[in-house]
């Protein structure tokens, strides 16, 4: 069972599925900023979903927006560009220019003000506010985005190449399905993997504080959320079918690349966390990535380690732009899409997150002390200001490993061998070979200060990797590096 049967048939089966696709930060705003800029969060400086965290701030608009890949497509490659849907969580905030701000690079701009909604929202239509109500036939956002996209395909110029970015908020909360889908998937519940509803022992304090076992009301809530998320995706599936059919009718399907992906994963009950994202585990950082298009053979899967920072470079590469002229950290997927042999590829990438909390206490959960946020009724808190970490996620012929360090009082370390433990139940930081720990710590320091080409240097398990242990001690011991210098 899947809510995306048509998407699977029209994109995955007609192209390539990347089974190891990740985001460098499992939260909407940093992740979307990474897609747009092709950069890690420490280089685009969007660290969480708040204006203070640089989400759609004046600083972002000034320093990063002019260099996003759509801006380059439009100004340097002569593309007509179309955006519809959720842009960045704080887009449209008064302090950041309101909905009158249209980022450079977009010929047609239909952006949702602020965060995800399905009804009763405001769109910026090329900088003018347009209010929508709650009448399904004219206001349901997923369908409105589909109709705007079809209109663009109908009326665009046929003399210039085009790029479209359609960012449906679905399946984001509030999970409002279209009326015809409210009865779908009645028998579906969240997956009960081996890490479901167990205590996150040997994990950092935020995970350890989750109540285990979860209350019946929490389990009912997360199952309900899972079902509704699937229901909202049925409308996304319809949108994709309509777009593919329209491209076919226009005679453009065979020379158009179509990418399908998400900005983050989501958890529902793993380690007794009811629902959210922003944690370092596979269920939050792994995303779907399906691509079809010219030169891509059907029904393929690819196991290479790819990340959303690769989307910008890939699309610019397709458009014929010289990637050496960009400051992007990612790599073009085009050689993988074409099935080129002898491609040298990365064996690791960086995951980084800066907690979105504040120094006050949550009045509903005073016992947990200051700094926790996004707390559930039974005081399971999903984030805190010191939920700040960085990881190296490694996938090579010999190792499937994740190494993470926290910037908290414990300077906590988590390490998982995903070959033996795919659900990341056992933290092996205390038992793994010390030499591997040192190399991973060093690699993490390298990646956290990388920019552009230095983000693509060989990982710990690559033959070309060079390790100089002396460099680790130039700075008071093993864990000298701190995040604060990076997050300006």
């Amino acid at each position: 069972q899947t809510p995306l049967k048509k998407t699977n048939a029209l994109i995955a089966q007609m192209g390539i599925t990347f089974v190891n696709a990740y985001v460098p930060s499992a939260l909407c705003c940093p992740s979307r900023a990474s897609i747009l800029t092709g950069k890690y969060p420490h280089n685009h400086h969007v660290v969480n979903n708040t204006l203070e965290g640089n989400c759609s701030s004046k600083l972002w608009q000034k320093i990063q927006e002019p260099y996003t890949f759509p801006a380059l497509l439009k100004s340097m490659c002569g593309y007509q560009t179309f955006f519809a849907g959720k842009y960045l969580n704080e887009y449209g905030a008064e302090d950041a220019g309101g909905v009158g701000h249209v980022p450079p690079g977009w010929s047609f701009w239909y952006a949702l003000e602020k965060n995800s909604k399905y009804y009763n929202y405001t769109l910026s239509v090329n900088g003018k506010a347009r209010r929508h109500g709650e009448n399904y036939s004219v206001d349901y956002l997923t369908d409105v985005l589909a109709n705007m996209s079809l209109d663009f395909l109908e009326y665009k110029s046929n003399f210039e190449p085009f790029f479209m970015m359609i960012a449906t908020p679905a399946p984001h909360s509030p999970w409002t399905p279209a009326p015809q889908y409210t009865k779908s998937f009645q028998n579906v519940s969240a997956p009960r993997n081996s890490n479901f509803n167990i205590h996150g022992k040997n994990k950092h304090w935020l995970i350890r504080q989750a109540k285990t076992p979860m209350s019946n009301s929490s389990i009912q809530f997360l199952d309900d959320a899972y079902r509704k998320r699937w229901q909202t995706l049925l409308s996304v599936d319809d949108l994709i079918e309509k777009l593919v059919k329209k491209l076919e009718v226009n005679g453009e399907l065979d020379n158009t690349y179509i990418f399908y992906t998400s900005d983050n994963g989501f958890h529902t009950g793993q380690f007794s966390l009811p629902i959210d994202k922003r944690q370092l585990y596979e269920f939050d950082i792994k995303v779907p990535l399906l691509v079809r298009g010219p030169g891509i053979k059907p029904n393929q899967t690819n196991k290479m380690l790819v990340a959303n920072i690769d989307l910008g470079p890939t699309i610019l590469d397709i458009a014929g732009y010289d990637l050496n002229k960009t400051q992007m950290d990612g790599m073009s997927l085009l050689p993988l899409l074409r099935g080129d042999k002898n491609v040298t590829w990365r064996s690791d990438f960086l995951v980084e997150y800066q907690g979105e909390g504040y120094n006050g206490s949550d009045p509903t959960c005073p016992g947990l002390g200051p700094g926790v946020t996004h707390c559930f009724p039974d005081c399971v808190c999903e984030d805190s200001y010191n939920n700040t970490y960085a990881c190296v996620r490694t996938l090579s012929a010999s190792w499937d490993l994740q190494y993470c360090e926290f910037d908290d009082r414990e300077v906590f370390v988590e390490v998982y061998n995903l070959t033996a433990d795919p659900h990341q139940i056992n933290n092996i930081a205390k038992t793994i070979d010390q030499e591997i720990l040192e190399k991973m710590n060093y690699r993490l320091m390298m990646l956290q200060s990388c920019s552009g080409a230095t983000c693509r240097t060989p990982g710990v398990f690559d033959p070309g990797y060079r390790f100089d242990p002396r460099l680790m001690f130039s700075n008071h011991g093993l864990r000298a590096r701190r995040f604060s210098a990076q997050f300006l």
Side-chain angles (χ1 to χ4, degrees):
Q1 257 190 322
T2 167
L4 294 165
K5 286 199 167 84
K6 303 174 199 174
T7 304
N8 188 37
L10 294 168
I11 306 182
Q13 288 172 24
M14 300 305 292
I16 190 165
T17 300
F18 287 94
V19 293
N20 292 305
Y22 290 87
V23 294
S25 199
L27 189 60
C28 345
C29 207
S31 184
R32 286 157 185 270
S34 284
I35 291 172
L36 289 161
T37 59
K39 294 177 183 177
Y40 281 123
H42 68 266
N43 289 329
H44 61 57
H45 304 297
V46 177
V47 295
N48 56 39
N49 282 348
T50 62
L51 270 178
E52 301 71 46
N54 205 25
C55 180
S56 212
S57 68
K58 285 273 197 231
L59 189 70
W60 153 265
Q61 292 171 17
K62 187 173 147 208
I63 295 178
Q64 301 297 340
E65 267 185 355
Y67 305 102
T68 60
F69 80 84
L72 295 173
L73 275 182
K74 185 168 185 273
S75 64
M76 309 306 275
C77 308
Y79 271 64
Q80 48 193 327
T81 56
F82 168 94
F83 182 88
K86 175 178 167 179
Y87 180 58
L88 299 172
N89 299 51
E90 287 293 333
Y91 172 75
E94 286 305 307
D95 298 353
V99 294
H101 170 70
V102 178
W106 299 104
S107 329
F108 301 91
W109 177 253
Y110 303 97
L112 180 66
E113 178 191 32
K114 300 283 187 81
N115 204 353
S116 307
K117 287 186 173 178
Y118 295 76
Y119 293 110
N120 298 314
Y121 52 86
T122 297
L123 288 180
S124 168
V125 178
N126 300 317
K128 302 267 191 302
R130 181 196 289 171
R131 287 281 310 140
H132 276 265
E134 49 193 322
N135 174 348
Y136 169 70
S137 61
V138 290
D139 296 319
Y140 187 67
L141 184 58
T142 310
D143 295 354
V144 168
L145 299 179
N147 293 334
M148 287 172 165
S149 304
L150 295 172
D151 281 350
F152 169 74
L153 287 174
E154 180 69 28
Y155 298 115
K156 67 178 173 57
S157 154
N158 288 330
F159 301 105
E160 300 165 314
F162 70 94
F163 169 74
M164 305 174 73
M165 191 172 205
I166 305 159
T168 65
H172 197 289
S173 63
W175 315 304
T176 314
Q180 68 271 31
Y181 294 136
T182 52
K183 298 279 188 287
S184 304
F185 305 123
Q186 290 299 318
N187 58 346
V188 166
S189 53
R192 302 309 203 245
N193 290 330
S194 54
N195 56 8
F196 181 80
N197 202 11
I198 63 169
H199 185 249
K201 62 182 193 315
N202 303 326
K203 292 181 166 43
H204 68 102
W205 73 270
L206 189 64
I207 308 296
R208 295 195 303 264
Q209 57 85 30
K211 306 269 191 306
T212 310
M214 289 182 285
S215 63
N216 286 343
S217 59
S218 279
I219 291 179
Q220 200 174 345
F221 181 76
L222 67 87
D223 277 337
D224 196 40
Y226 191 85
R227 194 174 308 115
K228 285 184 182 147
R229 286 161 59 78
W230 273 35
Q231 290 168 356
T232 67
L233 283 171
L234 289 170
S235 296
V236 177
D237 207 34
D238 292 341
L239 173 152
I240 284 163
E241 181 186 41
K242 287 173 195 162
L243 283 173
V244 171
K245 281 190 168 161
K246 182 68 178 165
L247 287 167
E248 193 165 25
V249 169
N250 286 3
E252 294 175 320
L253 184 57
D254 291 343
N255 61 356
T256 302
Y257 287 90
I258 305 175
F259 293 76
Y260 176 90
T261 189
S262 174
D263 54 358
N264 50 253
F266 201 72
H267 54 257
T268 42
Q270 293 93 331
F271 307 126
S272 303
L273 300 168
I275 55 157
D276 198 43
K277 53 250 179 178
R278 76 185 91 220
Q279 306 303 340
L280 54 91
Y281 309 103
E282 291 285 287
F283 43 75
D284 284 1
I285 61 172
K286 202 166 192 179
V287 291
L289 177 58
L290 318 172
V291 194
R292 69 170 284 173
I296 302 177
K297 293 191 177 73
N299 236 335
Q300 295 184 73
T301 54
N302 184 295
K303 292 183 175 163
M304 294 295 194
L305 195 55
V306 301
N308 70 1
I309 53 173
D310 301 332
L311 295 170
T314 304
I315 291 163
L316 288 173
D317 198 12
I318 288 168
Y321 188 72
D322 179 1
L323 295 179
N324 294 327
K325 293 182 181 163
T326 73
Q327 299 297 304
M328 293 182 175
D329 303 332
M331 303 166 68
S332 170
L333 302 173
L334 198 50
L336 302 183
L337 297 177
R338 287 186 180 142
D340 293 1
K341 301 282 178 274
N342 308 327
V343 181
T344 43
W345 201 253
R346 70 162 73 83
S347 63
D348 66 9
F349 77 101
L350 175 68
V351 181
E352 50 189 352
Y353 179 60
Q354 185 172 350
E356 184 190 329
Y358 58 101
N359 276 335
S361 291
D362 186 311
T364 55
C365 307
L368 289 170
V372 294
T373 53
H374 302 82
C375 299
F376 274 79
D378 30 14
C379 284
V380 178
C381 299
E382 293 280 3
D383 206 359
S384 108
Y385 72 96
N386 67 348
N387 180 33
T388 296
Y389 59 81
C391 309
V392 181
R393 180 73 182 85
T394 287
L395 189 60
S396 68
S398 49
W399 281 95
D400 188 355
L401 190 72
Q402 186 174 13
Y403 169 92
C404 301
E405 285 182 21
F406 278 79
D407 190 13
D408 58 15
R409 276 204 307 259
E410 295 182 282
V411 196
F412 201 77
V413 178
E414 293 186 36
V415 183
Y416 299 98
N417 173 358
L418 284 99
T419 309
D421 177 24
H423 294 131
Q424 295 171 297
I425 293 166
N426 303 310
N427 177 8
I428 55 171
K430 292 196 164 61
T431 55
I432 194 169
D433 182 352
Q434 187 64 28
E435 189 191 356
I436 291 181
L437 271 187
E438 286 176 7
K439 283 183 172 177
M440 293 305 267
N441 170 269
Y442 174 60
R443 180 67 180 151
L444 184 62
M445 288 195 290
M446 298 285 291
L447 282 172
Q448 278 195 286
S449 54
C450 78
S451 176
T454 56
C455 298
R456 306 189 286 270
T457 52
V460 169
F461 299 103
D462 280 7
Y465 178 74
R466 295 284 168 269
F467 174 56
D468 182 353
R470 289 169 309 186
L471 293 172
M472 302 184 58
F473 302 103
S474 59
N475 212 333
H476 340 291
L478 206 59
R479 292 196 228 296
R481 67 108 198 84
R482 273 287 170 264
F483 296 72
S484 45
Q486 318 258 323
F487 290 121
L488 301 174

